[in-house]
Amino acid sequence: MSDRLARALDRASGARPIPGNALRHLPDSAAALDAMLALIASARRTVHFENYIIRGDRTGRRFAAALAERARAGVRVRVLYDAFGSLGTRRRFWRELRRAGADVRAFRPLWTSGPFELLSRDHRKLLVADGGEAMLGGLCIGDEWAGDPARGRMPWRDTMVSVRGPAVAALDRTFARVWARAGPPLPEADLAPAPPARGSSVVRVVDGGPGLSRAYRAVQLLAAAVDAAKSGVDVRLLLPGTSDIPVVRTFTRIGYRDLLRAGARIFEYRGPMLHAKTIVADREWARVGSTNLNVSSLLGNYELDVLADCDSLSEALAAQFRHDQAQSREIVLMERRRLPARLVRATAPVAPPHKRSRRELRAAAVVALVQVAGGARRMLAGAAAGVLAVAGTLLLLFPTVTGAALATVAFSAALGLAAYALARRRRRRQTDGA
């Protein structure tokens, strides 16, 4: 990475380069969960555990047992969960952890937070043990990520990365900052000094928060640095598979055409739910973390990512991308005479689709609905812009006539709404009287 790009990246991400780290790529969700449990079991002084979703299912109980065992052994265990993400977890789950001696906090409980605070969630996934090793990425704590081979349920596709070296201290301090937003701050003595160098990788810890847009600026800068698809760079996007319902599929694919015309290639994953949030560019740098490429993650939530100058991690991510691509279907543009180009599946052979469980289908439906809502908002915004532009033009050209017309429409709407309200009130009185 050039010095000029590195300095620009420092400013964009609000992060300093931390050399001397060893990184380990964990692309298998079930194996990553086992590695997290092993890291908890190895702790002798502190465990700092933060996650958006911690369920009370079999996987959640495994983590609760591991955390409780360390707390009973005298390890200072701190657990921070998001109140919205973990909404379905029963109070008894947290109560038993507290009885074991763990310090458990909910981030922004729904009934005691303000309306704007409710929109900013703690979407981070972080585990730090003894200030010496950290794990972060996209994994939440639930059976979806563990899978169930006996019932033919494959684990969700997600990615975690293990960090050892001086960057662990920076990750631990990001935990302390969010922990302090949910209660009293951590004692300074419980934040270990930076450990010695363990490798040759340079890491930037991107600590995202509401309005900071650090990950957003970093991704934009790196995309601009490689000059993206229009300059002949091989740009490939691997996205969760969309619905087979034609109307839903049309909405979720809004935005594909511009990317495809620019030269990018788009693949939709056909395996289990794709939950990983990774980027690799030029086999030189990699990004792994919790940040989705949507408005809530980039601008609204508390997120955590690492940007790494690490050849081994970049190579591992590129290899995993190729593996996932082989289980995906490519979406291409089919040009049509006198009609807009149509999005179709490529004819190249692909792996058979994975049969999703009921929980996966629900999660995929949520993803599709979010994408549909985003597409609908864009369409409505475009229509509203057109209507307002026409109204503004008419007001400039024919102010008197247009003003009178708008006033008539406004008064008519007011009278109609008033009549509707009176009719509803009269009907309710008649119903109450009966």
Side-chain angles (χ1 to χ4, degrees):
M1 183 181 293
S2 70
D3 291 342
R4 182 179 297 177
L5 175 59
R7 289 194 296 272
L9 191 58
D10 296 344
R11 293 192 296 271
S13 64
R16 61 183 177 86
I18 306 173
N21 301 281
L23 305 180
R24 181 163 59 106
H25 176 230
L26 297 162
D28 182 294
S29 297
L33 290 170
D34 290 341
M36 293 170 73
L37 288 167
L39 183 57
I40 292 171
S42 71
R44 296 294 178 266
R45 192 175 61 86
T46 59
V47 172
H48 293 158
F49 185 42
E50 177 183 5
N51 213 293
Y52 178 62
I53 296 174
I54 302 176
R55 299 200 191 282
D57 55 17
R58 183 179 67 253
T59 301
R61 291 192 297 272
R62 289 175 66 199
F63 273 78
L67 293 164
E69 188 278 328
R70 287 292 80 198
R72 294 190 188 100
V75 175
R76 293 183 292 282
V77 174
R78 297 179 175 95
V79 178
L80 180 62
Y81 69 93
D82 185 82
F84 181 76
S86 304
L87 187 62
T89 304
R90 295 183 177 180
R91 293 182 180 179
R92 185 174 66 181
F93 180 91
W94 311 117
R95 191 161 54 241
E96 290 175 355
L97 267 176
R98 291 187 178 102
R99 284 175 182 167
D103 191 351
V104 181
R105 294 183 185 178
F107 184 84
R108 292 187 173 170
L110 304 187
W111 307 117
T112 58
S113 299
F116 294 105
E117 291 180 334
L118 285 174
L119 299 176
S120 296
R121 308 311 315 175
D122 181 4
H123 192 246
R124 296 148 48 102
K125 293 91 178 174
L126 175 65
L127 170 63
V128 184
D130 293 337
E133 182 175 356
M135 294 181 67
L136 73 154
L139 250 76
C140 296
I141 309 304
D143 286 347
E144 304 97 310
W145 285 268
D148 189 348
R151 302 176 67 178
R153 294 180 179 175
M154 298 173 64
W156 284 12
R157 241 301 284 134
D158 217 328
T159 294
M160 293 288 279
V161 63
S162 164
V163 182
R164 292 179 297 131
V168 176
L171 289 165
D172 209 14
R173 289 190 177 276
T174 70
F175 174 86
R177 283 192 286 274
V178 182
W179 178 260
R181 292 184 176 274
L186 277 179
E188 189 66 26
D190 279 2
L191 292 171
R198 302 294 296 271
S200 58
S201 299
V202 177
V203 170
R204 291 168 175 82
V205 176
V206 184
D207 186 10
L212 297 178
S213 63
R214 288 170 175 165
Y216 179 53
R217 293 197 304 267
V219 171
Q220 278 192 318
L221 178 63
L222 288 165
V226 298
D227 212 14
K230 286 186 176 179
S231 295
V233 175
D234 183 6
V235 176
R236 303 186 189 192
L237 291 86
L238 182 62
L239 308 172
T242 59
S243 171
D244 286 329
I245 301 172
V247 173
V248 174
R249 186 169 63 239
T250 298
F251 275 108
T252 56
R253 290 176 175 173
I254 288 174
Y256 279 21
R257 285 180 175 82
D258 290 341
L259 289 166
L260 291 169
R261 287 196 176 101
R265 297 177 67 187
I266 297 176
F267 300 84
E268 291 180 343
Y269 191 59
R270 303 191 80 194
M273 185 69 179
L274 179 64
H275 197 255
K277 305 102 170 49
T278 65
I279 299 175
V280 60
D282 289 344
R283 307 286 180 88
E284 292 182 5
W285 61 268
R287 192 218 76 169
V288 179
S290 66
T291 304
N292 293 308
L293 294 184
N294 58 32
V295 173
S296 57
S297 269
L298 293 170
L299 299 176
N301 290 338
Y302 291 86
E303 304 281 359
L304 185 62
D305 303 85
V306 289
L307 285 169
D309 261 326
C310 177
D311 291 343
S312 61
L313 179 61
S314 297
E315 288 290 343
L317 287 172
Q320 184 64 44
F321 188 97
R322 291 192 295 270
H323 178 271
D324 293 338
Q325 181 182 308
Q327 302 178 57
S328 307
R329 60 190 178 194
E330 185 172 7
I331 305 301
V332 298
L333 278 175
M334 184 180 73
E335 298 294 341
R336 298 183 293 176
R337 294 179 62 184
R338 301 179 183 178
L339 290 172
R342 181 184 177 189
L343 294 170
V344 296
R345 300 172 187 173
T347 56
V350 294
H354 164 71
K355 187 176 181 180
R356 291 177 172 174
S357 66
R358 185 176 300 175
R359 179 171 279 180
E360 284 184 71
L361 290 172
R362 287 199 300 265
V366 170
V367 171
L369 285 173
V370 170
Q371 291 174 316
V372 167
R377 283 197 301 269
R378 288 189 290 271
M379 293 178 68
L380 289 173
V387 170
L388 290 173
V390 171
T393 302
L394 291 174
L395 280 169
L396 286 173
L397 297 176
F398 313 104
T400 303
V401 175
T402 306
L406 290 175
T408 302
V409 170
F411 281 121
S412 299
L415 289 172
L417 290 171
Y420 173 78
L422 289 172
R424 292 281 297 178
R425 182 180 297 177
R426 189 180 300 113
R427 191 176 301 117
R428 188 173 67 179
R429 286 177 177 173
Q430 290 173 352
T431 303
D432 293 343

